[in-house]
Amino acid sequence: MKKIILGSFIGICFTTLVAFTIANYEPKKCTGEVQQLEGYYIFVDSRPVMEYEYLGTVKGAVISFGGGQYTTIRNKLIKRAKKDYPRADALIFTFIDGGIDKVDVIKFK
């Protein structure tokens, strides 16, 4: 009886040890790190891998005659997002040439 209990205990311990191995993350060619500005992670033409909650969208104005500078538009959208959604973690930018630029505001889970 003791041999059966001891064997079962060793089997359970071994199974537990094998089950909790550390997985290695292999970065792909498309893997990268995003910049952080004013406390927000900034995603441009990309999406975060982690799960997130969508909080809302902030839209910019239509810029005509060749458009505005990227940094000027980006900074204005960040300022508006910070005002409207103070608990946000990241911003997903969509720039539209000759159209209305927008930023989706998200919070990571």
PDB file of all heavy atoms in Angstrom, residues 15-48:
ATOM      1  N   THR A  15       4.589  15.149 -12.817  1.00  0.00           N
ATOM      2  CA  THR A  15       3.636  15.758 -13.752  1.00  0.00           C
ATOM      3  C   THR A  15       3.508  17.265 -13.497  1.00  0.00           C
ATOM      4  O   THR A  15       3.469  18.055 -14.438  1.00  0.00           O
ATOM      5  CB  THR A  15       2.257  15.086 -13.620  1.00  0.00           C
ATOM      6  OG1 THR A  15       2.399  13.687 -13.845  1.00  0.00           O
ATOM      7  CG2 THR A  15       1.264  15.656 -14.613  1.00  0.00           C
ATOM      8  N   THR A  16       3.444  17.651 -12.236  1.00  0.00           N
ATOM      9  CA  THR A  16       3.365  19.069 -11.883  1.00  0.00           C
ATOM     10  C   THR A  16       4.613  19.812 -12.336  1.00  0.00           C
ATOM     11  O   THR A  16       4.530  20.923 -12.878  1.00  0.00           O
ATOM     12  CB  THR A  16       3.176  19.231 -10.369  1.00  0.00           C
ATOM     13  OG1 THR A  16       2.009  18.503  -9.966  1.00  0.00           O
ATOM     14  CG2 THR A  16       3.008  20.692  -9.988  1.00  0.00           C
ATOM     15  N   LEU A  17       5.767  19.216 -12.140  1.00  0.00           N
ATOM     16  CA  LEU A  17       7.025  19.837 -12.551  1.00  0.00           C
ATOM     17  C   LEU A  17       7.079  20.035 -14.056  1.00  0.00           C
ATOM     18  O   LEU A  17       7.474  21.097 -14.541  1.00  0.00           O
ATOM     19  CB  LEU A  17       8.202  18.980 -12.092  1.00  0.00           C
ATOM     20  CG  LEU A  17       9.593  19.499 -12.426  1.00  0.00           C
ATOM     21  CD1 LEU A  17       9.864  20.789 -11.664  1.00  0.00           C
ATOM     22  CD2 LEU A  17      10.641  18.464 -12.098  1.00  0.00           C
ATOM     23  N   VAL A  18       6.648  19.059 -14.822  1.00  0.00           N
ATOM     24  CA  VAL A  18       6.661  19.145 -16.280  1.00  0.00           C
ATOM     25  C   VAL A  18       5.618  20.160 -16.767  1.00  0.00           C
ATOM     26  O   VAL A  18       5.858  20.885 -17.737  1.00  0.00           O
ATOM     27  CB  VAL A  18       6.407  17.755 -16.907  1.00  0.00           C
ATOM     28  CG1 VAL A  18       6.205  17.852 -18.402  1.00  0.00           C
ATOM     29  CG2 VAL A  18       7.568  16.827 -16.592  1.00  0.00           C
ATOM     30  N   ALA A  19       4.495  20.274 -16.087  1.00  0.00           N
ATOM     31  CA  ALA A  19       3.418  21.169 -16.508  1.00  0.00           C
ATOM     32  C   ALA A  19       3.793  22.638 -16.355  1.00  0.00           C
ATOM     33  O   ALA A  19       3.281  23.487 -17.070  1.00  0.00           O
ATOM     34  CB  ALA A  19       2.152  20.876 -15.716  1.00  0.00           C
ATOM     35  N   PHE A  20       4.679  22.966 -15.434  1.00  0.00           N
ATOM     36  CA  PHE A  20       5.031  24.359 -15.164  1.00  0.00           C
ATOM     37  C   PHE A  20       6.374  24.764 -15.762  1.00  0.00           C
ATOM     38  O   PHE A  20       7.139  25.485 -15.157  1.00  0.00           O
ATOM     39  CB  PHE A  20       5.041  24.625 -13.657  1.00  0.00           C
ATOM     40  CG  PHE A  20       3.669  24.625 -13.055  1.00  0.00           C
ATOM     41  CD1 PHE A  20       3.257  23.588 -12.243  1.00  0.00           C
ATOM     42  CD2 PHE A  20       2.780  25.653 -13.327  1.00  0.00           C
ATOM     43  CE1 PHE A  20       2.003  23.584 -11.690  1.00  0.00           C
ATOM     44  CE2 PHE A  20       1.520  25.646 -12.783  1.00  0.00           C
ATOM     45  CZ  PHE A  20       1.122  24.611 -11.963  1.00  0.00           C
ATOM     46  N   THR A  21       6.646  24.325 -16.971  1.00  0.00           N
ATOM     47  CA  THR A  21       7.866  24.746 -17.644  1.00  0.00           C
ATOM     48  C   THR A  21       7.688  26.161 -18.185  1.00  0.00           C
ATOM     49  O   THR A  21       6.582  26.581 -18.519  1.00  0.00           O
ATOM     50  CB  THR A  21       8.232  23.803 -18.804  1.00  0.00           C
ATOM     51  OG1 THR A  21       7.144  23.778 -19.721  1.00  0.00           O
ATOM     52  CG2 THR A  21       8.529  22.405 -18.309  1.00  0.00           C
ATOM     53  N   ILE A  22       8.758  26.898 -18.302  1.00  0.00           N
ATOM     54  CA  ILE A  22       8.710  28.277 -18.775  1.00  0.00           C
ATOM     55  C   ILE A  22       8.745  28.280 -20.296  1.00  0.00           C
ATOM     56  O   ILE A  22       9.631  27.693 -20.913  1.00  0.00           O
ATOM     57  CB  ILE A  22       9.895  29.078 -18.219  1.00  0.00           C
ATOM     58  CG1 ILE A  22       9.811  29.136 -16.697  1.00  0.00           C
ATOM     59  CG2 ILE A  22       9.930  30.475 -18.814  1.00  0.00           C
ATOM     60  CD1 ILE A  22      11.014  29.769 -16.055  1.00  0.00           C
ATOM     61  N   ALA A  23       7.776  28.974 -20.889  1.00  0.00           N
ATOM     62  CA  ALA A  23       7.710  29.068 -22.344  1.00  0.00           C
ATOM     63  C   ALA A  23       8.617  30.203 -22.813  1.00  0.00           C
ATOM     64  O   ALA A  23       8.630  31.281 -22.230  1.00  0.00           O
ATOM     65  CB  ALA A  23       6.280  29.315 -22.791  1.00  0.00           C
ATOM     66  N   ASN A  24       9.357  29.965 -23.851  1.00  0.00           N
ATOM     67  CA  ASN A  24      10.221  31.000 -24.429  1.00  0.00           C
ATOM     68  C   ASN A  24       9.458  31.752 -25.500  1.00  0.00           C
ATOM     69  O   ASN A  24       8.848  31.158 -26.373  1.00  0.00           O
ATOM     70  CB  ASN A  24      11.479  30.377 -25.044  1.00  0.00           C
ATOM     71  CG  ASN A  24      12.447  29.899 -24.002  1.00  0.00           C
ATOM     72  OD1 ASN A  24      12.446  30.400 -22.885  1.00  0.00           O
ATOM     73  ND2 ASN A  24      13.271  28.940 -24.352  1.00  0.00           N
ATOM     74  N   TYR A  25       9.514  33.081 -25.424  1.00  0.00           N
ATOM     75  CA  TYR A  25       8.865  33.915 -26.425  1.00  0.00           C
ATOM     76  C   TYR A  25       9.847  34.153 -27.554  1.00  0.00           C
ATOM     77  O   TYR A  25      10.959  34.618 -27.334  1.00  0.00           O
ATOM     78  CB  TYR A  25       8.425  35.248 -25.811  1.00  0.00           C
ATOM     79  CG  TYR A  25       7.845  36.187 -26.824  1.00  0.00           C
ATOM     80  CD1 TYR A  25       6.589  35.951 -27.360  1.00  0.00           C
ATOM     81  CD2 TYR A  25       8.550  37.286 -27.268  1.00  0.00           C
ATOM     82  CE1 TYR A  25       6.047  36.797 -28.299  1.00  0.00           C
ATOM     83  CE2 TYR A  25       8.020  38.141 -28.202  1.00  0.00           C
ATOM     84  CZ  TYR A  25       6.763  37.891 -28.718  1.00  0.00           C
ATOM     85  OH  TYR A  25       6.248  38.731 -29.653  1.00  0.00           O
ATOM     86  N   GLU A  26       9.440  33.835 -28.746  1.00  0.00           N
ATOM     87  CA  GLU A  26      10.266  34.033 -29.925  1.00  0.00           C
ATOM     88  C   GLU A  26       9.748  35.239 -30.695  1.00  0.00           C
ATOM     89  O   GLU A  26       8.648  35.208 -31.241  1.00  0.00           O
ATOM     90  CB  GLU A  26      10.219  32.800 -30.837  1.00  0.00           C
ATOM     91  CG  GLU A  26      10.891  31.577 -30.265  1.00  0.00           C
ATOM     92  CD  GLU A  26      12.401  31.715 -30.193  1.00  0.00           C
ATOM     93  OE1 GLU A  26      12.980  32.397 -31.065  1.00  0.00           O
ATOM     94  OE2 GLU A  26      12.986  31.176 -29.248  1.00  0.00           O
ATOM     95  N   PRO A  27      10.494  36.346 -30.718  1.00  0.00           N
ATOM     96  CA  PRO A  27      10.034  37.496 -31.492  1.00  0.00           C
ATOM     97  C   PRO A  27      10.040  37.193 -32.984  1.00  0.00           C
ATOM     98  O   PRO A  27      10.913  36.497 -33.488  1.00  0.00           O
ATOM     99  CB  PRO A  27      11.044  38.593 -31.155  1.00  0.00           C
ATOM    100  CG  PRO A  27      12.211  37.905 -30.575  1.00  0.00           C
ATOM    101  CD  PRO A  27      11.750  36.585 -30.056  1.00  0.00           C
ATOM    102  N   LYS A  28       9.035  37.731 -33.672  1.00  0.00           N
ATOM    103  CA  LYS A  28       8.918  37.563 -35.117  1.00  0.00           C
ATOM    104  C   LYS A  28       9.485  38.794 -35.806  1.00  0.00           C
ATOM    105  O   LYS A  28       9.846  39.777 -35.161  1.00  0.00           O
ATOM    106  CB  LYS A  28       7.440  37.402 -35.496  1.00  0.00           C
ATOM    107  CG  LYS A  28       6.778  36.205 -34.865  1.00  0.00           C
ATOM    108  CD  LYS A  28       5.318  36.181 -35.243  1.00  0.00           C
ATOM    109  CE  LYS A  28       4.592  35.076 -34.505  1.00  0.00           C
ATOM    110  NZ  LYS A  28       3.173  35.073 -34.803  1.00  0.00           N
ATOM    111  N   LYS A  29       9.534  38.764 -37.124  1.00  0.00           N
ATOM    112  CA  LYS A  29      10.011  39.924 -37.873  1.00  0.00           C
ATOM    113  C   LYS A  29       9.114  41.131 -37.653  1.00  0.00           C
ATOM    114  O   LYS A  29       9.567  42.267 -37.738  1.00  0.00           O
ATOM    115  CB  LYS A  29      10.085  39.605 -39.362  1.00  0.00           C
ATOM    116  CG  LYS A  29      11.192  38.633 -39.702  1.00  0.00           C
ATOM    117  CD  LYS A  29      11.244  38.393 -41.185  1.00  0.00           C
ATOM    118  CE  LYS A  29      12.354  37.416 -41.517  1.00  0.00           C
ATOM    119  NZ  LYS A  29      12.434  37.144 -42.947  1.00  0.00           N
ATOM    120  N   CYS A  30       7.844  40.911 -37.374  1.00  0.00           N
ATOM    121  CA  CYS A  30       6.910  42.017 -37.195  1.00  0.00           C
ATOM    122  C   CYS A  30       6.834  42.500 -35.743  1.00  0.00           C
ATOM    123  O   CYS A  30       6.108  43.439 -35.446  1.00  0.00           O
ATOM    124  CB  CYS A  30       5.521  41.605 -37.675  1.00  0.00           C
ATOM    125  SG  CYS A  30       4.812  40.246 -36.747  1.00  0.00           S
ATOM    126  N   THR A  31       7.584  41.886 -34.854  1.00  0.00           N
ATOM    127  CA  THR A  31       7.557  42.275 -33.450  1.00  0.00           C
ATOM    128  C   THR A  31       8.404  43.521 -33.230  1.00  0.00           C
ATOM    129  O   THR A  31       9.466  43.665 -33.806  1.00  0.00           O
ATOM    130  CB  THR A  31       8.100  41.131 -32.573  1.00  0.00           C
ATOM    131  OG1 THR A  31       7.343  39.958 -32.819  1.00  0.00           O
ATOM    132  CG2 THR A  31       8.012  41.471 -31.105  1.00  0.00           C
ATOM    133  N   GLY A  32       7.917  44.414 -32.404  1.00  0.00           N
ATOM    134  CA  GLY A  32       8.664  45.628 -32.106  1.00  0.00           C
ATOM    135  C   GLY A  32       8.189  46.226 -30.794  1.00  0.00           C
ATOM    136  O   GLY A  32       7.324  45.679 -30.118  1.00  0.00           O
ATOM    137  N   GLU A  33       8.769  47.337 -30.436  1.00  0.00           N
ATOM    138  CA  GLU A  33       8.351  48.076 -29.252  1.00  0.00           C
ATOM    139  C   GLU A  33       7.837  49.428 -29.703  1.00  0.00           C
ATOM    140  O   GLU A  33       8.396  50.045 -30.604  1.00  0.00           O
ATOM    141  CB  GLU A  33       9.520  48.264 -28.291  1.00  0.00           C
ATOM    142  CG  GLU A  33       9.918  46.995 -27.589  1.00  0.00           C
ATOM    143  CD  GLU A  33      10.926  47.241 -26.479  1.00  0.00           C
ATOM    144  OE1 GLU A  33      10.987  48.378 -25.960  1.00  0.00           O
ATOM    145  OE2 GLU A  33      11.638  46.309 -26.150  1.00  0.00           O
ATOM    146  N   VAL A  34       6.794  49.891 -29.049  1.00  0.00           N
ATOM    147  CA  VAL A  34       6.228  51.188 -29.414  1.00  0.00           C
ATOM    148  C   VAL A  34       6.790  52.277 -28.515  1.00  0.00           C
ATOM    149  O   VAL A  34       7.253  52.011 -27.405  1.00  0.00           O
ATOM    150  CB  VAL A  34       4.683  51.176 -29.339  1.00  0.00           C
ATOM    151  CG1 VAL A  34       4.102  50.191 -30.321  1.00  0.00           C
ATOM    152  CG2 VAL A  34       4.204  50.885 -27.940  1.00  0.00           C
ATOM    153  N   GLN A  35       6.742  53.500 -29.008  1.00  0.00           N
ATOM    154  CA  GLN A  35       7.173  54.650 -28.240  1.00  0.00           C
ATOM    155  C   GLN A  35       6.136  54.989 -27.179  1.00  0.00           C
ATOM    156  O   GLN A  35       4.949  54.673 -27.330  1.00  0.00           O
ATOM    157  CB  GLN A  35       7.345  55.863 -29.148  1.00  0.00           C
ATOM    158  CG  GLN A  35       8.499  55.763 -30.090  1.00  0.00           C
ATOM    159  CD  GLN A  35       9.812  55.906 -29.372  1.00  0.00           C
ATOM    160  OE1 GLN A  35      10.376  54.912 -28.922  1.00  0.00           O
ATOM    161  NE2 GLN A  35      10.285  57.106 -29.240  1.00  0.00           N
ATOM    162  N   GLN A  36       6.565  55.632 -26.132  1.00  0.00           N
ATOM    163  CA  GLN A  36       5.652  56.106 -25.099  1.00  0.00           C
ATOM    164  C   GLN A  36       5.801  57.622 -25.017  1.00  0.00           C
ATOM    165  O   GLN A  36       6.893  58.141 -24.811  1.00  0.00           O
ATOM    166  CB  GLN A  36       5.963  55.453 -23.760  1.00  0.00           C
ATOM    167  CG  GLN A  36       4.899  55.687 -22.736  1.00  0.00           C
ATOM    168  CD  GLN A  36       5.121  54.876 -21.469  1.00  0.00           C
ATOM    169  OE1 GLN A  36       6.184  54.311 -21.259  1.00  0.00           O
ATOM    170  NE2 GLN A  36       4.125  54.823 -20.633  1.00  0.00           N
ATOM    171  N   LEU A  37       4.684  58.324 -25.215  1.00  0.00           N
ATOM    172  CA  LEU A  37       4.659  59.781 -25.152  1.00  0.00           C
ATOM    173  C   LEU A  37       3.583  60.220 -24.175  1.00  0.00           C
ATOM    174  O   LEU A  37       2.443  59.744 -24.248  1.00  0.00           O
ATOM    175  CB  LEU A  37       4.359  60.392 -26.524  1.00  0.00           C
ATOM    176  CG  LEU A  37       5.394  60.172 -27.618  1.00  0.00           C
ATOM    177  CD1 LEU A  37       4.842  60.642 -28.958  1.00  0.00           C
ATOM    178  CD2 LEU A  37       6.661  60.929 -27.286  1.00  0.00           C
ATOM    179  N   GLU A  38       3.944  61.108 -23.275  1.00  0.00           N
ATOM    180  CA  GLU A  38       3.017  61.661 -22.289  1.00  0.00           C
ATOM    181  C   GLU A  38       2.259  60.569 -21.531  1.00  0.00           C
ATOM    182  O   GLU A  38       1.087  60.710 -21.202  1.00  0.00           O
ATOM    183  CB  GLU A  38       2.055  62.640 -22.942  1.00  0.00           C
ATOM    184  CG  GLU A  38       2.738  63.855 -23.530  1.00  0.00           C
ATOM    185  CD  GLU A  38       1.775  64.909 -23.992  1.00  0.00           C
ATOM    186  OE1 GLU A  38       0.724  65.095 -23.355  1.00  0.00           O
ATOM    187  OE2 GLU A  38       2.084  65.557 -25.008  1.00  0.00           O
ATOM    188  N   GLY A  39       2.913  59.450 -21.284  1.00  0.00           N
ATOM    189  CA  GLY A  39       2.320  58.363 -20.511  1.00  0.00           C
ATOM    190  C   GLY A  39       1.499  57.374 -21.315  1.00  0.00           C
ATOM    191  O   GLY A  39       0.971  56.423 -20.765  1.00  0.00           O
ATOM    192  N   TYR A  40       1.374  57.577 -22.614  1.00  0.00           N
ATOM    193  CA  TYR A  40       0.598  56.683 -23.473  1.00  0.00           C
ATOM    194  C   TYR A  40       1.528  55.891 -24.390  1.00  0.00           C
ATOM    195  O   TYR A  40       2.503  56.432 -24.901  1.00  0.00           O
ATOM    196  CB  TYR A  40      -0.371  57.463 -24.370  1.00  0.00           C
ATOM    197  CG  TYR A  40      -1.469  58.183 -23.632  1.00  0.00           C
ATOM    198  CD1 TYR A  40      -1.537  59.571 -23.644  1.00  0.00           C
ATOM    199  CD2 TYR A  40      -2.443  57.478 -22.945  1.00  0.00           C
ATOM    200  CE1 TYR A  40      -2.545  60.240 -22.973  1.00  0.00           C
ATOM    201  CE2 TYR A  40      -3.449  58.149 -22.270  1.00  0.00           C
ATOM    202  CZ  TYR A  40      -3.495  59.512 -22.290  1.00  0.00           C
ATOM    203  OH  TYR A  40      -4.490  60.171 -21.628  1.00  0.00           O
ATOM    204  N   TYR A  41       1.180  54.638 -24.622  1.00  0.00           N
ATOM    205  CA  TYR A  41       1.852  53.858 -25.648  1.00  0.00           C
ATOM    206  C   TYR A  41       1.228  54.269 -26.978  1.00  0.00           C
ATOM    207  O   TYR A  41       0.008  54.288 -27.110  1.00  0.00           O
ATOM    208  CB  TYR A  41       1.683  52.353 -25.411  1.00  0.00           C
ATOM    209  CG  TYR A  41       2.415  51.892 -24.168  1.00  0.00           C
ATOM    210  CD1 TYR A  41       1.726  51.655 -22.989  1.00  0.00           C
ATOM    211  CD2 TYR A  41       3.783  51.709 -24.184  1.00  0.00           C
ATOM    212  CE1 TYR A  41       2.397  51.251 -21.849  1.00  0.00           C
ATOM    213  CE2 TYR A  41       4.461  51.296 -23.044  1.00  0.00           C
ATOM    214  CZ  TYR A  41       3.758  51.073 -21.885  1.00  0.00           C
ATOM    215  OH  TYR A  41       4.429  50.671 -20.761  1.00  0.00           O
ATOM    216  N   ILE A  42       2.047  54.594 -27.963  1.00  0.00           N
ATOM    217  CA  ILE A  42       1.576  55.131 -29.231  1.00  0.00           C
ATOM    218  C   ILE A  42       1.696  54.070 -30.323  1.00  0.00           C
ATOM    219  O   ILE A  42       2.799  53.641 -30.654  1.00  0.00           O
ATOM    220  CB  ILE A  42       2.384  56.386 -29.633  1.00  0.00           C
ATOM    221  CG1 ILE A  42       2.368  57.435 -28.512  1.00  0.00           C
ATOM    222  CG2 ILE A  42       1.891  56.959 -30.942  1.00  0.00           C
ATOM    223  CD1 ILE A  42       0.995  57.982 -28.187  1.00  0.00           C
ATOM    224  N   PHE A  43       0.569  53.662 -30.871  1.00  0.00           N
ATOM    225  CA  PHE A  43       0.524  52.693 -31.967  1.00  0.00           C
ATOM    226  C   PHE A  43       0.098  53.423 -33.238  1.00  0.00           C
ATOM    227  O   PHE A  43      -0.950  54.044 -33.268  1.00  0.00           O
ATOM    228  CB  PHE A  43      -0.478  51.571 -31.672  1.00  0.00           C
ATOM    229  CG  PHE A  43      -0.094  50.707 -30.505  1.00  0.00           C
ATOM    230  CD1 PHE A  43      -0.481  51.025 -29.217  1.00  0.00           C
ATOM    231  CD2 PHE A  43       0.660  49.561 -30.703  1.00  0.00           C
ATOM    232  CE1 PHE A  43      -0.133  50.236 -28.139  1.00  0.00           C
ATOM    233  CE2 PHE A  43       1.016  48.757 -29.639  1.00  0.00           C
ATOM    234  CZ  PHE A  43       0.620  49.098 -28.358  1.00  0.00           C
ATOM    235  N   VAL A  44       0.927  53.372 -34.280  1.00  0.00           N
ATOM    236  CA  VAL A  44       0.606  53.981 -35.568  1.00  0.00           C
ATOM    237  C   VAL A  44       0.689  52.885 -36.618  1.00  0.00           C
ATOM    238  O   VAL A  44       1.718  52.225 -36.746  1.00  0.00           O
ATOM    239  CB  VAL A  44       1.590  55.124 -35.915  1.00  0.00           C
ATOM    240  CG1 VAL A  44       1.233  55.731 -37.254  1.00  0.00           C
ATOM    241  CG2 VAL A  44       1.580  56.178 -34.816  1.00  0.00           C
ATOM    242  N   ASP A  45      -0.407  52.676 -37.342  1.00  0.00           N
ATOM    243  CA  ASP A  45      -0.487  51.601 -38.335  1.00  0.00           C
ATOM    244  C   ASP A  45      -0.170  50.237 -37.725  1.00  0.00           C
ATOM    245  O   ASP A  45       0.450  49.382 -38.372  1.00  0.00           O
ATOM    246  CB  ASP A  45       0.450  51.869 -39.521  1.00  0.00           C
ATOM    247  CG  ASP A  45       0.036  53.094 -40.312  1.00  0.00           C
ATOM    248  OD1 ASP A  45      -1.171  53.394 -40.327  1.00  0.00           O
ATOM    249  OD2 ASP A  45       0.907  53.738 -40.899  1.00  0.00           O
ATOM    250  N   SER A  46      -0.555  50.038 -36.484  1.00  0.00           N
ATOM    251  CA  SER A  46      -0.321  48.754 -35.805  1.00  0.00           C
ATOM    252  C   SER A  46      -1.343  48.587 -34.686  1.00  0.00           C
ATOM    253  O   SER A  46      -2.067  49.517 -34.348  1.00  0.00           O
ATOM    254  CB  SER A  46       1.107  48.696 -35.242  1.00  0.00           C
ATOM    255  OG  SER A  46       1.301  49.733 -34.309  1.00  0.00           O
ATOM    256  N   ARG A  47      -1.384  47.402 -34.137  1.00  0.00           N
ATOM    257  CA  ARG A  47      -2.306  47.074 -33.055  1.00  0.00           C
ATOM    258  C   ARG A  47      -1.526  46.389 -31.935  1.00  0.00           C
ATOM    259  O   ARG A  47      -0.580  45.652 -32.186  1.00  0.00           O
ATOM    260  CB  ARG A  47      -3.388  46.106 -33.537  1.00  0.00           C
ATOM    261  CG  ARG A  47      -4.322  46.691 -34.547  1.00  0.00           C
ATOM    262  CD  ARG A  47      -5.667  46.902 -33.887  1.00  0.00           C
ATOM    263  NE  ARG A  47      -6.635  47.440 -34.823  1.00  0.00           N
ATOM    264  CZ  ARG A  47      -7.113  48.664 -34.725  1.00  0.00           C
ATOM    265  NH1 ARG A  47      -6.711  49.458 -33.797  1.00  0.00           N
ATOM    266  NH2 ARG A  47      -8.006  49.088 -35.579  1.00  0.00           N
ATOM    267  N   PRO A  48      -1.943  46.593 -30.679  1.00  0.00           N
ATOM    268  CA  PRO A  48      -1.272  45.901 -29.579  1.00  0.00           C
ATOM    269  C   PRO A  48      -1.623  44.413 -29.559  1.00  0.00           C
ATOM    270  O   PRO A  48      -2.695  44.013 -30.013  1.00  0.00           O
ATOM    271  CB  PRO A  48      -1.812  46.602 -28.332  1.00  0.00           C
ATOM    272  CG  PRO A  48      -3.064  47.267 -28.759  1.00  0.00           C
ATOM    273  CD  PRO A  48      -2.951  47.535 -30.220  1.00  0.00           C
TER     274      PRO A  48
END
